[in-house]
Amino acid sequence: MEIEQRSHAGARPGSGASPAGQTMRAVVQHRYGPPSVLEVSEVGLPLVGRGDVLVRVGAASVHPGDCFVMTGEPYLVRLAFGLRRPRHSIPGMDLAGVVTAVGTDVTTFRPGDEVFGWSTAGALAEYACVPAKNLAHVPAELPVEDAAAVPTSAITALQALRDIANVRPGQTVLITGASGGVGSFAVQIAKAFGAEVTGVCSTRNVDVVRSLGADHVIDYTTTDFTRDEGRFDVILDNVEAQPLADVRRALTPSGTLIPNSGRGGRWIGPLGRIAKARMLSGFTRQRLRPFTSIGKRQDLLTLADLLTTGQIVPLIDRTYPLHEAADALRYVAAGHTRGKVVITV
Ligand SMILES: NC(=O)c1ccc[n+]([C@@H]2O[C@H](COP(=O)([O-])OP(=O)(O)OC[C@H]3O[C@@H](n4cnc5c(N)ncnc54)[C@H](OP(=O)(O)O)[C@@H]3O)[C@@H](O)[C@H]2O)c1
């Protein structure tokens, strides 16, 4: 079924506006706050614009960024997501499911296609409206939960290692938070690029990080990686538990350090650390490169290839049903996720 051209004006998902008066179950939040602000409610099906695809969501995944948007902290996120309350009442971004309708301009997808990608108007619902440019076909035989786990975390790992660090075969790459959402993909992608990979994680995750393909694993509860002076060509620091100066010590004289933790103060989050890294970068041969990942369909296609060849396999920690989405976000916010947290719809 192809949907007629429609305007989005006044038709926010969750607003109750639906062309056929159809409704769906969705997680909604009408104000910023802790996971208890989330509730499951019956809302109108989203309207589909010319370039959009209506996806029946099979699974969605959540990550620390979803927690920032849910709480509205750091306050900086409200500039993008709504000053006083969330602009979109349905939380979540990353999803996978089946196309049920497409806008008149969409030629890449048809009803019945299995797709994965990211919505900009909420994913924790039975249906999501997604711009076609944010979607790719799910590789054959990949379970919907695995596909939903991929988008933001794997794109971040890919862009950090390929575009920012330009990782080449034989280089030494260290990844902190190697057991987390970004880190578990980063270990596998760095291996796919031919690097010698060291993962940093806690004792309970040593075996799992090794199973992802890491050549070496450092248990941060017993060993401080910053004592390995000048050893790594690239460091992807997803945790930033140590001061920048200490981490730089472990980098080769012309190596690349990507500080990648989104955590920080209540107002501007990591911005202070980012500014410091950028400033320092002008005074050293080492490349200090904080970055913000950007959703690109081409990268989703690259990841689909890596999934097809088995070079990356999503690591799923827990799955929750839709009505337990608050528990899922509570778990992610605690910061000890092993791989990805998935919500099945
Ligand atoms: N630049 C961007 O555009 C971008 C995009 C996405 C995400 N991010 C940021 O990337 C960071 C990682 O995201 P994520 O989704 O991977 O988070 P996550 O899934 O919550 O994973 C964090 C992992 O770090 C481990 N960990 C905690 N303390 C550690 C330490 N001292 N050393 C090594 N590992 C430690 C945790 O396990 P244990 O506690 O069991 O050790 C957990 O497995 C977040 O801060 C997020 O905001 C940035």
PDB file of all heavy atoms in Angstrom, residues 4 36 89 93 121 155 177 204 291 320:
ATOM      1  N   GLU A   4      -0.986   8.255   0.370  1.00  0.00           N
ATOM      2  CA  GLU A   4      -1.092   9.514  -0.362  1.00  0.00           C
ATOM      3  C   GLU A   4      -0.195  10.569   0.264  1.00  0.00           C
ATOM      4  O   GLU A   4       0.141  10.497   1.441  1.00  0.00           O
ATOM      5  CB  GLU A   4      -2.523  10.041  -0.248  1.00  0.00           C
ATOM      6  CG  GLU A   4      -3.504   9.291  -1.093  1.00  0.00           C
ATOM      7  CD  GLU A   4      -4.898   9.776  -0.790  1.00  0.00           C
ATOM      8  OE1 GLU A   4      -5.045  10.863  -0.210  1.00  0.00           O
ATOM      9  OE2 GLU A   4      -5.815   9.040  -1.117  1.00  0.00           O
ATOM     10  N   SER A  36      10.221   6.875  35.379  1.00  0.00           N
ATOM     11  CA  SER A  36       8.821   6.803  35.824  1.00  0.00           C
ATOM     12  C   SER A  36       7.911   7.760  35.040  1.00  0.00           C
ATOM     13  O   SER A  36       6.687   7.665  35.141  1.00  0.00           O
ATOM     14  CB  SER A  36       8.721   7.085  37.326  1.00  0.00           C
ATOM     15  OG  SER A  36       9.316   8.331  37.616  1.00  0.00           O
ATOM     16  N   SER A  89       6.494  13.016  21.743  1.00  0.00           N
ATOM     17  CA  SER A  89       6.129  12.388  23.018  1.00  0.00           C
ATOM     18  C   SER A  89       6.533  10.915  23.078  1.00  0.00           C
ATOM     19  O   SER A  89       6.505  10.311  24.139  1.00  0.00           O
ATOM     20  CB  SER A  89       4.623  12.535  23.261  1.00  0.00           C
ATOM     21  OG  SER A  89       3.920  12.020  22.152  1.00  0.00           O
ATOM     22  N   MET A  93      14.817   5.784  19.276  1.00  0.00           N
ATOM     23  CA  MET A  93      15.242   6.102  17.900  1.00  0.00           C
ATOM     24  C   MET A  93      15.419   4.832  17.064  1.00  0.00           C
ATOM     25  O   MET A  93      14.869   4.685  15.991  1.00  0.00           O
ATOM     26  CB  MET A  93      16.614   6.797  17.930  1.00  0.00           C
ATOM     27  CG  MET A  93      16.615   8.220  18.400  1.00  0.00           C
ATOM     28  SD  MET A  93      18.316   8.822  18.393  1.00  0.00           S
ATOM     29  CE  MET A  93      18.655   8.844  16.648  1.00  0.00           C
ATOM     30  N   ALA A 121      11.152  10.553  15.276  1.00  0.00           N
ATOM     31  CA  ALA A 121       9.904  10.930  15.949  1.00  0.00           C
ATOM     32  C   ALA A 121       9.411   9.843  16.896  1.00  0.00           C
ATOM     33  O   ALA A 121       8.239   9.794  17.222  1.00  0.00           O
ATOM     34  CB  ALA A 121       8.841  11.250  14.903  1.00  0.00           C
ATOM     35  N   ILE A 155      26.948   2.709  14.069  1.00  0.00           N
ATOM     36  CA  ILE A 155      27.344   3.847  13.220  1.00  0.00           C
ATOM     37  C   ILE A 155      28.391   4.694  13.953  1.00  0.00           C
ATOM     38  O   ILE A 155      29.378   5.144  13.360  1.00  0.00           O
ATOM     39  CB  ILE A 155      26.106   4.692  12.821  1.00  0.00           C
ATOM     40  CG1 ILE A 155      25.334   3.974  11.712  1.00  0.00           C
ATOM     41  CG2 ILE A 155      26.513   6.090  12.362  1.00  0.00           C
ATOM     42  CD1 ILE A 155      24.061   4.676  11.242  1.00  0.00           C
ATOM     43  N   GLY A 177      35.358   0.721  27.530  1.00  0.00           N
ATOM     44  CA  GLY A 177      33.922   0.427  27.446  1.00  0.00           C
ATOM     45  C   GLY A 177      33.684  -0.618  26.379  1.00  0.00           C
ATOM     46  O   GLY A 177      32.642  -0.619  25.708  1.00  0.00           O
ATOM     47  N   ARG A 204      33.925  -9.144  34.979  1.00  0.00           N
ATOM     48  CA  ARG A 204      32.811 -10.010  34.533  1.00  0.00           C
ATOM     49  C   ARG A 204      32.665 -10.031  33.019  1.00  0.00           C
ATOM     50  O   ARG A 204      32.004 -10.907  32.464  1.00  0.00           O
ATOM     51  CB  ARG A 204      31.502  -9.579  35.203  1.00  0.00           C
ATOM     52  CG  ARG A 204      30.950  -8.293  34.659  1.00  0.00           C
ATOM     53  CD  ARG A 204      29.705  -7.806  35.381  1.00  0.00           C
ATOM     54  NE  ARG A 204      29.213  -6.615  34.702  1.00  0.00           N
ATOM     55  CZ  ARG A 204      28.155  -6.575  33.909  1.00  0.00           C
ATOM     56  NH1 ARG A 204      27.431  -7.648  33.720  1.00  0.00           N
ATOM     57  NH2 ARG A 204      27.792  -5.453  33.319  1.00  0.00           N
ATOM     58  N   PHE A 291      34.045  13.756  18.679  1.00  0.00           N
ATOM     59  CA  PHE A 291      33.197  13.918  17.500  1.00  0.00           C
ATOM     60  C   PHE A 291      31.756  13.575  17.847  1.00  0.00           C
ATOM     61  O   PHE A 291      31.470  12.981  18.895  1.00  0.00           O
ATOM     62  CB  PHE A 291      33.706  13.036  16.347  1.00  0.00           C
ATOM     63  CG  PHE A 291      33.164  11.627  16.383  1.00  0.00           C
ATOM     64  CD1 PHE A 291      32.337  11.160  15.372  1.00  0.00           C
ATOM     65  CD2 PHE A 291      33.461  10.776  17.436  1.00  0.00           C
ATOM     66  CE1 PHE A 291      31.821   9.876  15.401  1.00  0.00           C
ATOM     67  CE2 PHE A 291      32.945   9.483  17.475  1.00  0.00           C
ATOM     68  CZ  PHE A 291      32.124   9.039  16.459  1.00  0.00           C
ATOM     69  N   TYR A 320      13.431  -6.490  26.722  1.00  0.00           N
ATOM     70  CA  TYR A 320      12.279  -6.134  27.561  1.00  0.00           C
ATOM     71  C   TYR A 320      11.057  -6.006  26.653  1.00  0.00           C
ATOM     72  O   TYR A 320      11.178  -5.547  25.516  1.00  0.00           O
ATOM     73  CB  TYR A 320      12.487  -4.766  28.226  1.00  0.00           C
ATOM     74  CG  TYR A 320      13.581  -4.704  29.264  1.00  0.00           C
ATOM     75  CD1 TYR A 320      14.913  -4.555  28.881  1.00  0.00           C
ATOM     76  CD2 TYR A 320      13.288  -4.751  30.627  1.00  0.00           C
ATOM     77  CE1 TYR A 320      15.922  -4.464  29.841  1.00  0.00           C
ATOM     78  CE2 TYR A 320      14.296  -4.662  31.587  1.00  0.00           C
ATOM     79  CZ  TYR A 320      15.610  -4.519  31.184  1.00  0.00           C
ATOM     80  OH  TYR A 320      16.599  -4.425  32.125  1.00  0.00           O
TER      81      TYR A 320
END
